[in-house]
Amino acid sequence: MNRREFVSIGAATMAGAVLSAKDSVVKNSVKPLHPDVLITHPLKFIPQQLNGFSEKMILSHYNNNYGGAVKRAKLIEEKIVSLNIDTYPFELGSLKREQMVALNSMILHEYYFDNLGASGKMSTALEKNLEISFGSISAWESEFKKMALSLGGGSGWALLVYNERLKRLENVWSWDHMHALWDSKIIIALDMYEHSYQMDFGANAKGYIDTFFSNLNWDIINQRII
């Protein structure tokens, strides 16, 4: 072996070591999972005490749909953490899309269940904000319910949000847990996916929406506008 061959082999070996080290750094630099975050958020009300919603439907929704979203989010994060430097962009991109769907589903469901419980009444601050943004409380409620009803038989979320850019409340709908009016804070979340009402209401989406309004927990909702 001449000197040139020795140097060439040495360089190749060093390059391989550097690549291996880089691969290790990439893997180890990924943000670790936080199991204390990706766990189910407890219900803040007693299901049997809701007006017009069966305990069976609420618990099925909570355990299967919300709980399923939490489990999917954790599994997807575990897959992302296990990827290496040779992963194809489309593989990572697909996982990141599914991660966003699962995390958003988890978060929106937490807003949904938290704003149930039939407690308190609308605060003066929220009343004033609704009047400024929609002209009157009845005008807001009518628009919100009509928007939600448009999703009946389909899928999506009906949301009341406060948008920091517009400086006002807006009714918005979210499809596939991902569409949003950016720079917004969620005030009220209504799940319009059929799993949230079909067991009790069948195709009667209007009945579900009206029952949802009768079970709103204003004590929680009022805190979101602050």
Side-chain angles (χ1 to χ4, degrees), residues 43-71:
L43 290 174
K44 297 181 179 179
F45 59 85
I46 300 174
Q48 303 96 308
Q49 295 181 354
L50 292 182
N51 176 34
F53 288 156
S54 70
E55 177 184 7
K56 182 179 180 180
M57 185 184 77
I58 291 296
L59 292 182
S60 174
H61 189 180
Y62 176 80
N63 292 323
N64 297 316
N65 301 101
Y66 166 57
V70 176
K71 291 176 183 177

mmCIF file of all heavy atoms in Angstrom, residues 43-71:
data_model
loop_
_atom_site.group_PDB
_atom_site.id
_atom_site.type_symbol
_atom_site.label_atom_id
_atom_site.label_comp_id
_atom_site.label_asym_id
_atom_site.label_seq_id
_atom_site.Cartn_x
_atom_site.Cartn_y
_atom_site.Cartn_z
ATOM 1 N N LEU A 43 -61.969 15.149 32.584
ATOM 2 C CA LEU A 43 -63.239 15.871 32.480
ATOM 3 C C LEU A 43 -63.442 16.730 33.719
ATOM 4 O O LEU A 43 -63.111 16.312 34.834
ATOM 5 C CB LEU A 43 -64.399 14.880 32.345
ATOM 6 C CG LEU A 43 -64.510 14.093 31.035
ATOM 7 C CD1 LEU A 43 -65.622 13.063 31.145
ATOM 8 C CD2 LEU A 43 -64.780 15.033 29.864
ATOM 9 N N LYS A 44 -63.997 17.918 33.522
ATOM 10 C CA LYS A 44 -64.233 18.832 34.642
ATOM 11 C C LYS A 44 -65.704 18.876 35.049
ATOM 12 O O LYS A 44 -66.118 19.770 35.787
ATOM 13 C CB LYS A 44 -63.734 20.237 34.282
ATOM 14 C CG LYS A 44 -62.230 20.298 34.034
ATOM 15 C CD LYS A 44 -61.762 21.696 33.703
ATOM 16 C CE LYS A 44 -60.252 21.738 33.495
ATOM 17 N NZ LYS A 44 -59.767 23.102 33.146
ATOM 18 N N PHE A 45 -66.478 17.932 34.566
ATOM 19 C CA PHE A 45 -67.890 17.868 34.906
ATOM 20 C C PHE A 45 -68.287 16.408 35.070
ATOM 21 O O PHE A 45 -67.545 15.499 34.676
ATOM 22 C CB PHE A 45 -68.750 18.513 33.809
ATOM 23 C CG PHE A 45 -68.587 17.888 32.453
ATOM 24 C CD1 PHE A 45 -69.313 16.763 32.080
ATOM 25 C CD2 PHE A 45 -67.672 18.409 31.541
ATOM 26 C CE1 PHE A 45 -69.144 16.166 30.838
ATOM 27 C CE2 PHE A 45 -67.492 17.822 30.297
ATOM 28 C CZ PHE A 45 -68.237 16.689 29.942
ATOM 29 N N ILE A 46 -69.465 16.191 35.664
ATOM 30 C CA ILE A 46 -69.993 14.838 35.823
ATOM 31 C C ILE A 46 -70.901 14.549 34.637
ATOM 32 O O ILE A 46 -71.926 15.218 34.455
ATOM 33 C CB ILE A 46 -70.786 14.713 37.139
ATOM 34 C CG1 ILE A 46 -69.871 15.028 38.327
ATOM 35 C CG2 ILE A 46 -71.373 13.308 37.276
ATOM 36 C CD1 ILE A 46 -70.589 15.081 39.657
ATOM 37 N N PRO A 47 -70.539 13.595 33.772
ATOM 38 C CA PRO A 47 -71.307 13.338 32.545
ATOM 39 C C PRO A 47 -72.808 13.143 32.768
ATOM 40 O O PRO A 47 -73.626 13.609 31.975
ATOM 41 C CB PRO A 47 -70.661 12.064 31.993
ATOM 42 C CG PRO A 47 -69.256 12.112 32.503
ATOM 43 C CD PRO A 47 -69.363 12.710 33.874
ATOM 44 N N GLN A 48 -73.180 12.457 33.858
ATOM 45 C CA GLN A 48 -74.596 12.188 34.117
ATOM 46 C C GLN A 48 -75.402 13.463 34.371
ATOM 47 O O GLN A 48 -76.626 13.459 34.264
ATOM 48 C CB GLN A 48 -74.754 11.253 35.328
ATOM 49 C CG GLN A 48 -74.029 9.932 35.203
ATOM 50 C CD GLN A 48 -72.662 9.975 35.872
ATOM 51 O OE1 GLN A 48 -71.870 10.865 35.609
ATOM 52 N NE2 GLN A 48 -72.403 8.995 36.741
ATOM 53 N N GLN A 49 -74.719 14.547 34.723
ATOM 54 C CA GLN A 49 -75.423 15.776 35.079
ATOM 55 C C GLN A 49 -75.621 16.729 33.899
ATOM 56 O O GLN A 49 -76.216 17.795 34.062
ATOM 57 C CB GLN A 49 -74.676 16.492 36.212
ATOM 58 C CG GLN A 49 -74.676 15.702 37.513
ATOM 59 C CD GLN A 49 -73.955 16.420 38.641
ATOM 60 O OE1 GLN A 49 -73.346 17.464 38.449
ATOM 61 N NE2 GLN A 49 -74.012 15.843 39.840
ATOM 62 N N LEU A 50 -75.142 16.357 32.715
ATOM 63 C CA LEU A 50 -75.377 17.191 31.548
ATOM 64 C C LEU A 50 -76.835 17.082 31.117
ATOM 65 O O LEU A 50 -77.466 16.038 31.267
ATOM 66 C CB LEU A 50 -74.453 16.777 30.391
ATOM 67 C CG LEU A 50 -72.957 17.037 30.578
ATOM 68 C CD1 LEU A 50 -72.201 16.606 29.329
ATOM 69 C CD2 LEU A 50 -72.677 18.500 30.893
ATOM 70 N N ASN A 51 -77.360 18.161 30.577
ATOM 71 C CA ASN A 51 -78.757 18.214 30.170
ATOM 72 C C ASN A 51 -78.917 17.796 28.714
ATOM 73 O O ASN A 51 -78.501 18.511 27.808
ATOM 74 C CB ASN A 51 -79.294 19.643 30.364
ATOM 75 C CG ASN A 51 -80.721 19.800 29.874
ATOM 76 O OD1 ASN A 51 -81.525 18.877 29.972
ATOM 77 N ND2 ASN A 51 -81.033 20.962 29.315
ATOM 78 N N GLY A 52 -79.512 16.612 28.478
ATOM 79 C CA GLY A 52 -79.797 16.191 27.110
ATOM 80 C C GLY A 52 -78.703 15.398 26.436
ATOM 81 O O GLY A 52 -78.877 14.931 25.299
ATOM 82 N N PHE A 53 -77.562 15.223 27.090
ATOM 83 C CA PHE A 53 -76.481 14.392 26.565
ATOM 84 C C PHE A 53 -76.374 13.139 27.425
ATOM 85 O O PHE A 53 -76.306 13.237 28.655
ATOM 86 C CB PHE A 53 -75.132 15.120 26.606
ATOM 87 C CG PHE A 53 -74.971 16.217 25.599
ATOM 88 C CD1 PHE A 53 -74.071 17.246 25.828
ATOM 89 C CD2 PHE A 53 -75.696 16.230 24.420
ATOM 90 C CE1 PHE A 53 -73.898 18.264 24.900
ATOM 91 C CE2 PHE A 53 -75.537 17.241 23.485
ATOM 92 C CZ PHE A 53 -74.637 18.267 23.726
ATOM 93 N N SER A 54 -76.357 11.985 26.799
ATOM 94 C CA SER A 54 -76.244 10.756 27.572
ATOM 95 C C SER A 54 -74.813 10.545 28.050
ATOM 96 O O SER A 54 -73.846 10.962 27.390
ATOM 97 C CB SER A 54 -76.685 9.552 26.736
ATOM 98 O OG SER A 54 -75.743 9.290 25.702
ATOM 99 N N GLU A 55 -74.685 9.895 29.191
ATOM 100 C CA GLU A 55 -73.362 9.569 29.719
ATOM 101 C C GLU A 55 -72.614 8.676 28.732
ATOM 102 O O GLU A 55 -71.408 8.823 28.518
ATOM 103 C CB GLU A 55 -73.502 8.864 31.066
ATOM 104 C CG GLU A 55 -72.171 8.426 31.668
ATOM 105 C CD GLU A 55 -72.347 7.640 32.952
ATOM 106 O OE1 GLU A 55 -73.505 7.317 33.297
ATOM 107 O OE2 GLU A 55 -71.324 7.335 33.601
ATOM 108 N N LYS A 56 -73.348 7.752 28.104
ATOM 109 C CA LYS A 56 -72.738 6.824 27.157
ATOM 110 C C LYS A 56 -72.083 7.564 25.998
ATOM 111 O O LYS A 56 -70.960 7.252 25.601
ATOM 112 C CB LYS A 56 -73.801 5.856 26.634
ATOM 113 C CG LYS A 56 -73.253 4.816 25.666
ATOM 114 C CD LYS A 56 -74.363 3.876 25.196
ATOM 115 C CE LYS A 56 -73.825 2.834 24.219
ATOM 116 N NZ LYS A 56 -74.897 1.909 23.743
ATOM 117 N N MET A 57 -72.787 8.561 25.437
ATOM 118 C CA MET A 57 -72.238 9.300 24.303
ATOM 119 C C MET A 57 -71.029 10.132 24.713
ATOM 120 O O MET A 57 -69.999 10.151 24.017
ATOM 121 C CB MET A 57 -73.303 10.215 23.689
ATOM 122 C CG MET A 57 -72.815 10.932 22.422
ATOM 123 S SD MET A 57 -74.015 12.109 21.739
ATOM 124 C CE MET A 57 -73.819 13.496 22.882
ATOM 125 N N ILE A 58 -71.132 10.826 25.849
ATOM 126 C CA ILE A 58 -70.036 11.679 26.305
ATOM 127 C C ILE A 58 -68.785 10.848 26.573
ATOM 128 O O ILE A 58 -67.677 11.207 26.151
ATOM 129 C CB ILE A 58 -70.442 12.460 27.569
ATOM 130 C CG1 ILE A 58 -71.503 13.520 27.225
ATOM 131 C CG2 ILE A 58 -69.220 13.129 28.203
ATOM 132 C CD1 ILE A 58 -71.020 14.608 26.284
ATOM 133 N N LEU A 59 -68.939 9.734 27.268
ATOM 134 C CA LEU A 59 -67.773 8.912 27.595
ATOM 135 C C LEU A 59 -67.189 8.231 26.366
ATOM 136 O O LEU A 59 -65.969 8.061 26.268
ATOM 137 C CB LEU A 59 -68.149 7.876 28.652
ATOM 138 C CG LEU A 59 -68.470 8.444 30.043
ATOM 139 C CD1 LEU A 59 -68.781 7.324 31.022
ATOM 140 C CD2 LEU A 59 -67.319 9.303 30.565
ATOM 141 N N SER A 60 -68.054 7.848 25.413
ATOM 142 C CA SER A 60 -67.553 7.278 24.164
ATOM 143 C C SER A 60 -66.737 8.318 23.409
ATOM 144 O O SER A 60 -65.646 8.011 22.895
ATOM 145 C CB SER A 60 -68.722 6.803 23.302
ATOM 146 O OG SER A 60 -68.261 6.373 22.032
ATOM 147 N N HIS A 61 -67.247 9.523 23.340
ATOM 148 C CA HIS A 61 -66.558 10.621 22.665
ATOM 149 C C HIS A 61 -65.222 10.911 23.343
ATOM 150 O O HIS A 61 -64.178 11.050 22.691
ATOM 151 C CB HIS A 61 -67.463 11.860 22.697
ATOM 152 C CG HIS A 61 -66.981 13.000 21.872
ATOM 153 N ND1 HIS A 61 -67.660 14.194 21.774
ATOM 154 C CD2 HIS A 61 -65.881 13.159 21.093
ATOM 155 C CE1 HIS A 61 -67.011 15.017 20.989
ATOM 156 N NE2 HIS A 61 -65.919 14.419 20.567
ATOM 157 N N TYR A 62 -65.259 10.983 24.662
ATOM 158 C CA TYR A 62 -64.062 11.322 25.436
ATOM 159 C C TYR A 62 -63.005 10.214 25.346
ATOM 160 O O TYR A 62 -61.837 10.478 25.052
ATOM 161 C CB TYR A 62 -64.447 11.561 26.889
ATOM 162 C CG TYR A 62 -63.279 11.832 27.810
ATOM 163 C CD1 TYR A 62 -62.687 13.096 27.879
ATOM 164 C CD2 TYR A 62 -62.751 10.821 28.613
ATOM 165 C CE1 TYR A 62 -61.610 13.341 28.721
ATOM 166 C CE2 TYR A 62 -61.678 11.058 29.451
ATOM 167 C CZ TYR A 62 -61.109 12.314 29.503
ATOM 168 O OH TYR A 62 -60.039 12.557 30.331
ATOM 169 N N ASN A 63 -63.429 8.978 25.581
ATOM 170 C CA ASN A 63 -62.460 7.881 25.627
ATOM 171 C C ASN A 63 -61.952 7.465 24.253
ATOM 172 O O ASN A 63 -60.752 7.222 24.078
ATOM 173 C CB ASN A 63 -63.093 6.662 26.320
ATOM 174 C CG ASN A 63 -63.344 6.897 27.796
ATOM 175 O OD1 ASN A 63 -62.552 7.550 28.472
ATOM 176 N ND2 ASN A 63 -64.452 6.377 28.311
ATOM 177 N N ASN A 64 -62.844 7.393 23.275
ATOM 178 C CA ASN A 64 -62.461 6.871 21.963
ATOM 179 C C ASN A 64 -61.906 7.928 21.021
ATOM 180 O O ASN A 64 -60.856 7.724 20.393
ATOM 181 C CB ASN A 64 -63.656 6.167 21.316
ATOM 182 C CG ASN A 64 -64.113 4.966 22.109
ATOM 183 O OD1 ASN A 64 -63.300 4.173 22.566
ATOM 184 N ND2 ASN A 64 -65.417 4.817 22.294
ATOM 185 N N ASN A 65 -62.595 9.055 20.911
ATOM 186 C CA ASN A 65 -62.167 10.080 19.949
ATOM 187 C C ASN A 65 -61.074 10.988 20.508
ATOM 188 O O ASN A 65 -60.026 11.164 19.876
ATOM 189 C CB ASN A 65 -63.369 10.893 19.492
ATOM 190 C CG ASN A 65 -64.429 10.033 18.845
ATOM 191 O OD1 ASN A 65 -65.432 9.695 19.460
ATOM 192 N ND2 ASN A 65 -64.220 9.611 17.600
ATOM 193 N N TYR A 66 -61.320 11.523 21.699
ATOM 194 C CA TYR A 66 -60.283 12.357 22.318
ATOM 195 C C TYR A 66 -59.109 11.502 22.763
ATOM 196 O O TYR A 66 -57.945 11.806 22.453
ATOM 197 C CB TYR A 66 -60.861 13.130 23.503
ATOM 198 C CG TYR A 66 -59.800 13.751 24.382
ATOM 199 C CD1 TYR A 66 -58.859 14.627 23.841
ATOM 200 C CD2 TYR A 66 -59.723 13.457 25.737
ATOM 201 C CE1 TYR A 66 -57.871 15.197 24.627
ATOM 202 C CE2 TYR A 66 -58.745 14.014 26.533
ATOM 203 C CZ TYR A 66 -57.812 14.882 25.977
ATOM 204 O OH TYR A 66 -56.834 15.435 26.767
ATOM 205 N N GLY A 67 -59.396 10.410 23.484
ATOM 206 C CA GLY A 67 -58.315 9.538 23.932
ATOM 207 C C GLY A 67 -57.526 8.968 22.768
ATOM 208 O O GLY A 67 -56.304 8.831 22.842
ATOM 209 N N GLY A 68 -58.215 8.666 21.672
ATOM 210 C CA GLY A 68 -57.536 8.168 20.482
ATOM 211 C C GLY A 68 -56.583 9.193 19.890
ATOM 212 O O GLY A 68 -55.498 8.856 19.411
ATOM 213 N N ALA A 69 -56.987 10.468 19.918
ATOM 214 C CA ALA A 69 -56.130 11.535 19.391
ATOM 215 C C ALA A 69 -54.855 11.672 20.221
ATOM 216 O O ALA A 69 -53.760 11.871 19.682
ATOM 217 C CB ALA A 69 -56.889 12.859 19.381
ATOM 218 N N VAL A 70 -54.991 11.543 21.534
ATOM 219 C CA VAL A 70 -53.818 11.622 22.413
ATOM 220 C C VAL A 70 -52.858 10.471 22.120
ATOM 221 O O VAL A 70 -51.647 10.670 22.007
ATOM 222 C CB VAL A 70 -54.241 11.594 23.898
ATOM 223 C CG1 VAL A 70 -53.010 11.589 24.808
ATOM 224 C CG2 VAL A 70 -55.126 12.796 24.237
ATOM 225 N N LYS A 71 -53.398 9.260 21.970
ATOM 226 C CA LYS A 71 -52.558 8.094 21.681
ATOM 227 C C LYS A 71 -51.872 8.238 20.323
ATOM 228 O O LYS A 71 -50.683 7.912 20.178
ATOM 229 C CB LYS A 71 -53.408 6.822 21.704
ATOM 230 C CG LYS A 71 -53.910 6.446 23.090
ATOM 231 C CD LYS A 71 -54.829 5.235 23.035
ATOM 232 C CE LYS A 71 -55.389 4.903 24.404
ATOM 233 N NZ LYS A 71 -56.353 3.762 24.361
#
